[in-house]
Amino acid sequence: MANTDTRDSGLPLNTLKLTHSDNGVKRSIPALHATWKDTRCFTKYMAFLVNGQESVSDAILEQWTNETEWFIKDMKHLLNLEYHKFWSTIVHNTTTLESIVSFMQNALPFYLVPVLKSMDNERILPLYTGAHALVFKVIFRLTTLRESNTCWMEPEFYGKLVYKHFIITVPFLFDLISIYSRDNIAEISRIIEFILNLQPKYIQDLKQGISYLLNAFTIIQTRCESELSEANSSEATLNDLTLYAQDCSSVLVQLITISTPLRQICSEMNAEFAISNFYDNVIIVLYRNIQEVNKHSQYLNNLNDMRVELLETFRSILCVQLNRILENSDDGLLAADKFISILTECLANNIFVRDYKTLYDIEDDLAIVQLGYKSVDQVKYDFIQNAYAKDRDVHETHSIMNSEQDTDHEVKVSVEQREIEQRIEQNVQYIMELLPHLEAAQIRKVVCSYDNVEEAVSVLLEQENPNSESQPVEGQEELHIPIDPLDEFYVRTGIDRLNVYDGDEFDVMVNDKVKGIIKKGKGMPGQPKSLNALLDDKSHIQQVRHIYRQFDLIAENDLDDDEYDDSFEAMTESESRHVKLSKDARNTFVDEVLDNESDSENESEDEQEANQNQFCENPELARKRYEDKLHSKYLRRHGSAASGPKEADVRGKPKGQGQDSKVLLNRRHKNENKALSGNHNRKQGASYKRNRGMLPS
C-alpha cells in the first residue's frame, strides 16, 4: 500500500518518495524502485511466416491467435499502471522490455501488411492491428517526459535512465522507423528529435548504426554477385534477396525522411555514393533476373518502389549541400565543391545517373551552386552540367520509371522531327561562330549529312574554295575525308596496325630480334638489379672453374687417390691452422676449434670400439679424458703445466681463538665476488650422466 504526501505531489519521479507499509511498518521508498514493479511475466509476441505465396497451417494460426490475445492483455495491463509503477516495471522487470522488443523484431514490414487482408481467417487482421496500436501507445508513453503535473521526471535524469538501462537503443529506433514511420511520420519524427536532444550519446550510436546499414548494402551486393552468377538462379533466392534489400533500403529511406539530424549524419558519412552503387548493382540486377524468371512477380513492383524511394533519398541528402550554400555559411564553398564531387563520383553508375536526371532537373541546382560561389572550378562545373543534362532523344522523353509507352505514333514522329531540327539549328549556329565567313545554307547542308559536328567542320575546312559556286549540288557525291594510305595498306593486306612505329628496326612488336639493347627497369642487361644480387655475385666461380677441372685430371693421372687425399687434407689443415693462429694466438674461437680437433685425435680406435660395444661408458675413462683435455688446453694457452688453483684460506682458526687479517680479507673477497645464483646446473649434469648410461646422483 502506497500513500503520497500532498507536499510531494509536484516533485519529479526521480526525487519523489512514497510511503510503503509492510506488516504495519511504514518506510519511505523512492518512487522509481523495485518495490513498485509489477511482477507479471509479460508474453512475448510470436510471428508467423507471411510472404504472400505460402499458406500458413491452421495449427500455427490458432497458436498465434491465442498468444497474441495474451500479448494484447499484457500491453493493456502495462498501459493501465500508474506512472511510478509503469516506470518501475520497465526498469526492474526484464520481461517487460523483452515483450515490447519481441513485437518490434517480429512485426510485419509495411509491404507485407496487405497480405493479412487476403487471408481467410478473419481474426488475424484485427488481432494484429490491435497489437500494433497498443505497442505504439506503450512506446509513446516511454518517450513522453511529462504526462501531468504530478507525473513527470527531469529531462537530464530521463536521458540517463533510458540510455543506461537500454530502454531505447539504436536497433529499437530502426525497428520503430521501419514499422510505424510510414503512417505516423510526425510522431516518429518527434520521438527521434526528443531522444537526440535529451541524450546526445545516441548521435554517436546512430552513426555506428548507419555505418552498419551501409555495410549491409555491400553485403547484399556481394551476395548478388555470388548467388546470381549462375544463370539458373531460383525464384526463391531472388525473392529472398529482394526482401533483404527492401528491409535495409526502407530503413535508410525513412531515417532520412523523418529526421533532419540523421540527414546531416548521412551526408557526413558520404551515403550518396553507397545509394547510387546499391541502385545499379543490386536493384537493377534483381529486377532483370526476376523479370526473366517470372514477369508477373509482385516483387517487381516492390523493386520499382525502391528505385523511386532511393532516388528521392539521394536527392534529399544532396540538398544538404544546397541548403548550406543558400544559408551563406562559412563552409559554403566546401559544400559547393562537395556537391560537384558527389555528382562526379556517381557518374560510374550509368543507370542511376540516367534515372536521376530524368526524374530531376539538375540545371536549377547547378545555378544555385554557381550563383552562390563563383570560385568553383569552371571545368568541373561544365563537365557536370553536360553529364547531367537531359537528353533530347525520343527514347528518353518518357520516364524511366514508367513502363508504359506512348502508343500515338504520329505524336512521337512529330516530336522526333522537331528535336532533330532543333539539334541541326544548334549545330549550324555553333559552326557559324567558328567559321563566320561561311554561308548558313552551305553549313546546314553539310550538317544534315553528318551527325557529328567535328566531322562537319573537317569537311568544310577540307574544301578547296568554300565560297565558290563550284560546290557539289544535290545528287552529287558528297565530299569525304580521305583514308590514311597506311591504314588502307594494312586493311588491304590483312595485317593489323599495332602502333605508329610499325616497320621500325627497333619495333619489338614486329621484330623478334631488335638491334641494340632494350633496357627495361633499373640497370643494364646482365648486371645485378639489387644490392643483394651484387653482394651475392658468383661470376668469379665460372672464371676459375677450368682450374679446378685440371686438379681433377692431375688426381686421376699422377697421384694415387689415397695419397692425394691425405696430402691434400694435411695441406689444407696446416694452412687453415696457420691462418687462424696468425690472427690471434689466444683467440677463443680458435681454442674451441683446436679443442674439438684434439679431442678427436686423442680418442683412440680401441676406445671407440669399446664404447660402441659397451652399454655404459667407464666413468674413470671419461673423467681421465676430460682432465687430459683441460690439461692440454691449459698448455696451449699458457705454455706450462698448471700449478693448481691457488687456495685462499677462508676457514681460519676455530671460533674464539682470533683470525688472521689474511683470512678476514679472503672471506670478504669471497663474499663480494660470489655469484648471485648457483654456478652449477644440476639438470645439465644429470643429463650428461644419463646420456652416458650413468645414474645421476
Side-chain angles (χ1 to χ4, degrees):
M1 180 178 180
N3 296 322
T4 306
D5 296 336
T6 306
R7 55 187 175 85
D8 294 336
S9 59
L11 294 177
L13 181 67
N14 51 302
T15 59
L16 180 63
K17 292 186 178 182
L18 303 176
T19 303
H20 176 68
S21 178
D22 186 10
N23 295 328
V25 179
K26 294 183 179 181
R27 293 183 301 166
S28 180
I29 300 177
L32 186 61
H33 194 267
T35 305
W36 313 113
K37 72 176 182 179
D38 194 311
T39 58
R40 185 187 188 105
C41 183
F42 290 85
T43 307
K44 292 184 179 180
Y45 176 79
M46 184 192 74
F48 58 90
L49 180 62
V50 176
N51 56 8
Q53 294 179 354
E54 299 179 3
S55 59
V56 185
S57 63
D58 296 337
I60 295 178
L61 289 178
E62 187 66 24
Q63 182 182 1
W64 178 85
T65 303
N66 295 332
E67 293 192 5
T68 305
E69 289 177 352
W70 279 107
F71 179 79
I72 291 175
K73 292 179 182 178
D74 290 344
M75 292 297 104
K76 289 181 179 179
H77 177 75
L78 183 62
L79 288 172
N80 292 329
L81 292 177
E82 298 179 20
Y83 187 72
H84 68 284
K85 290 185 177 181
F86 173 81
W87 278 104
S88 299
T89 304
I90 291 292
V91 174
H92 299 287
N93 190 347
T94 57
T95 62
T96 310
L97 279 179
E98 292 176 358
S99 178
I100 299 172
V101 172
S102 66
F103 181 83
M104 303 294 292
Q105 293 177 347
N106 298 319
L108 292 178
F110 67 93
Y111 49 84
L112 291 181
V113 173
V115 180
L116 297 178
K117 300 179 182 180
S118 62
M119 301 186 71
D120 298 334
N121 197 330
E122 297 179 354
R123 299 174 58 191
I124 294 178
L125 184 59
L127 285 175
Y128 180 79
T129 306
H132 186 274
L134 288 173
V135 172
F136 186 69
K137 291 180 179 179
V138 173
I139 296 174
F140 197 83
R141 189 176 186 184
L142 282 174
T143 55
T144 301
L145 193 63
R146 178 186 290 271
E147 293 184 2
S148 64
N149 293 331
T150 58
C151 300
W152 64 286
M153 65 179 71
E154 294 179 351
E156 184 178 357
F157 175 78
Y158 174 82
K160 294 180 180 179
L161 179 68
V162 296
Y163 191 83
K164 178 181 178 182
H165 294 278
F166 301 98
I167 298 174
I168 297 176
T169 59
V170 171
F172 184 88
L173 293 176
F174 282 5
D175 293 335
L176 176 67
I177 291 170
S178 178
I179 297 171
Y180 293 101
S181 61
R182 292 184 179 269
D183 299 327
N184 306 276
I185 296 178
E187 290 79 3
I188 300 300
S189 179
R190 182 201 67 81
I191 290 174
I192 297 296
E193 294 181 359
F194 173 75
I195 293 298
L196 295 181
N197 291 332
L198 292 183
Q199 184 52 268
K201 293 182 180 179
Y202 281 110
I203 297 178
Q204 186 64 29
D205 295 345
L206 283 170
K207 288 182 179 180
Q208 296 180 1
I210 295 174
S211 177
Y212 177 81
L213 194 60
L214 297 179
N215 188 30
F217 283 2
T218 307
I219 296 173
I220 298 173
Q221 180 179 346
T222 304
R223 284 192 58 184
C224 289
E225 294 174 354
S226 60
E227 298 182 14
L228 302 184
S229 59
E230 302 178 358
N232 54 352
S233 299
S234 62
E235 186 176 1
T237 302
L238 296 173
N239 295 341
D240 179 55
L241 288 173
T242 303
L243 291 176
Y244 189 10
Q246 192 166 9
D247 288 339
C248 296
S249 63
S250 62
V251 173
L252 181 62
V253 168
Q254 295 302 315
L255 275 174
I256 296 172
T257 303
I258 65 175
S259 177
T260 302
L262 296 180
R263 192 181 305 122
Q264 297 282 350
I265 294 175
C266 291
S267 177
E268 295 174 0
M269 299 180 65
N270 299 324
E272 301 91 344
F273 184 70
I275 293 174
S276 64
N277 198 26
F278 182 77
Y279 187 96
D280 258 34
N281 299 319
V282 176
I283 306 299
I284 304 301
V285 173
L286 288 174
Y287 191 91
R288 291 173 180 172
N289 284 271
I290 293 177
Q291 195 173 25
E292 293 177 358
V293 176
N294 183 7
K295 294 183 179 180
H296 304 287
S297 176
Q298 63 175 359
Y299 291 95
L300 294 177
N301 297 329
N302 296 343
L303 288 172
N304 281 331
D305 295 339
M306 291 167 60
R307 293 172 69 176
V308 176
E309 290 178 349
L310 288 176
L311 289 172
E312 293 176 352
T313 302
F314 180 86
R315 171 72 178 176
S316 179
I317 301 176
L318 199 61
C319 288
V320 173
Q321 312 302 331
L322 295 177
N323 294 334
R324 293 179 181 175
I325 298 174
L326 294 175
E327 291 173 359
N328 294 325
S329 58
D330 296 336
D331 58 345
L333 183 59
L334 296 177
D337 290 336
K338 187 174 181 180
F339 180 87
I340 296 178
S341 300
I342 291 170
L343 296 180
T344 305
E345 289 181 356
C346 294
L347 286 175
N349 303 311
N350 298 327
I351 300 178
F352 174 81
V353 172
R354 186 183 65 184
D355 292 353
Y356 181 78
K357 68 183 182 182
T358 304
L359 195 61
Y360 298 102
D361 190 3
I362 200 68
E363 294 293 336
D364 297 337
D365 300 340
L366 292 176
I368 294 174
V369 172
Q370 192 175 31
L371 291 176
Y373 291 89
K374 297 181 180 180
S375 59
V376 178
D377 191 354
Q378 190 65 29
V379 176
K380 295 181 180 179
Y381 180 87
D382 295 338
F383 175 75
I384 291 299
Q385 188 177 24
N386 295 330
Y388 282 86
K390 285 190 176 182
D391 297 333
R392 300 301 180 183
D393 192 9
V394 65
H395 297 291
E396 295 184 9
T397 56
H398 303 291
S399 177
I400 300 300
M401 311 310 299
N402 189 2
S403 61
E404 299 179 357
Q405 298 180 354
D406 190 4
T407 58
D408 192 355
H409 182 68
E410 295 180 358
V411 175
K412 184 171 66 174
V413 172
S414 62
V415 172
E416 181 181 3
Q417 187 66 25
R418 191 183 309 111
E419 291 180 352
I420 292 175
E421 292 177 358
Q422 292 178 359
R423 191 186 311 115
I424 291 175
E425 290 299 328
Q426 291 177 359
N427 294 338
V428 170
Q429 294 297 329
Y430 178 73
I431 295 176
M432 288 189 66
E433 293 178 359
L434 297 177
L435 305 174
H437 60 284
L438 298 181
E439 296 179 358
Q442 179 185 358
I443 296 175
R444 186 177 292 103
K445 180 181 178 181
V446 177
V447 169
C448 292
S449 302
Y450 296 92
D451 295 334
N452 194 352
V453 179
E454 286 78 6
E455 292 182 1
V457 173
S458 300
V459 170
L460 293 172
L461 293 177
E462 287 291 335
Q463 295 177 359
E464 296 180 356
N465 190 6
N467 292 326
S468 64
E469 297 180 357
S470 60
Q471 297 299 326
V473 296
E474 296 182 1
Q476 288 184 347
E477 183 180 359
E478 296 291 342
L479 295 176
H480 65 279
I481 301 175
I483 304 176
D484 190 355
L486 189 56
D487 291 339
E488 185 179 0
F489 167 75
Y490 281 109
V491 171
R492 187 177 69 255
T493 57
I495 303 175
D496 293 336
R497 183 174 184 179
L498 302 176
N499 51 52
V500 295
Y501 300 106
D502 280 346
D504 193 270
E505 60 180 356
F506 297 105
D507 187 10
V508 295
M509 304 295 291
V510 177
N511 302 322
D512 295 335
K513 296 183 179 179
V514 185
K515 295 182 180 180
I517 299 175
I518 303 299
K519 183 177 180 298
K520 295 181 180 180
K522 298 180 180 179
M524 296 298 291
Q527 293 184 353
K529 296 183 179 180
S530 62
L531 179 61
N532 293 333
L534 178 62
L535 297 177
D536 197 26
D537 186 14
K538 296 184 177 59
S539 59
H540 64 283
I541 297 177
Q542 300 293 338
Q543 298 175 2
V544 298
R545 186 178 294 277
H546 64 284
I547 300 176
Y548 289 98
R549 289 177 179 174
Q550 294 178 3
F551 291 165
D552 295 340
L553 295 176
I554 294 173
E556 293 178 0
N557 298 330
D558 299 336
L559 298 175
D560 184 73
D561 293 339
D562 297 336
E563 296 177 358
Y564 176 78
D565 293 340
D566 295 340
S567 61
F568 183 79
E569 290 179 359
M571 179 179 64
T572 54
E573 181 181 1
S574 61
E575 288 179 356
S576 62
R577 183 174 299 178
H578 173 71
V579 172
K580 293 179 180 178
L581 291 176
S582 62
K583 292 182 179 179
D584 188 359
R586 294 189 179 184
N587 194 326
T588 306
F589 176 77
V590 177
D591 294 339
E592 294 178 358
V593 173
L594 295 178
D595 291 343
N596 295 332
E597 294 176 355
S598 63
D599 291 341
S600 61
E601 293 174 358
N602 293 334
E603 186 174 7
S604 62
E605 296 181 357
D606 297 338
E607 293 178 353
Q608 291 179 357
E609 293 178 358
N611 292 336
Q612 293 177 357
N613 296 330
Q614 294 180 0
F615 175 76
C616 176
E617 184 182 7
N618 190 359
E620 295 181 357
L621 297 177
R623 285 194 292 270
K624 184 176 182 305
R625 184 172 64 253
Y626 184 70
E627 291 177 358
D628 293 341
K629 175 183 175 182
L630 293 178
H631 183 68
S632 59
K633 183 177 180 181
Y634 189 86
L635 287 176
R636 285 194 301 270
R637 290 188 176 183
H638 302 284
S640 61
S643 59
K646 191 173 183 181
E647 297 181 358
D649 186 11
V650 295
R651 201 167 175 184
K653 300 178 182 180
K655 186 176 181 180
Q657 297 184 8
Q659 302 297 338
D660 192 3
S661 60
K662 291 184 178 181
V663 175
L664 298 176
L665 184 62
N666 292 337
R667 290 179 180 177
R668 179 181 177 184
H669 182 269
K670 177 181 178 181
N671 291 332
E672 291 178 352
N673 294 278
K674 66 181 180 181
L676 297 176
S677 59
N679 55 5
H680 57 279
N681 193 333
R682 293 190 179 93
K683 182 177 180 181
Q684 184 177 0
S687 300
Y688 175 80
K689 292 182 179 181
R690 189 178 291 107
N691 293 336
R692 285 160 176 75
M694 294 181 288
L695 296 176
S697 58

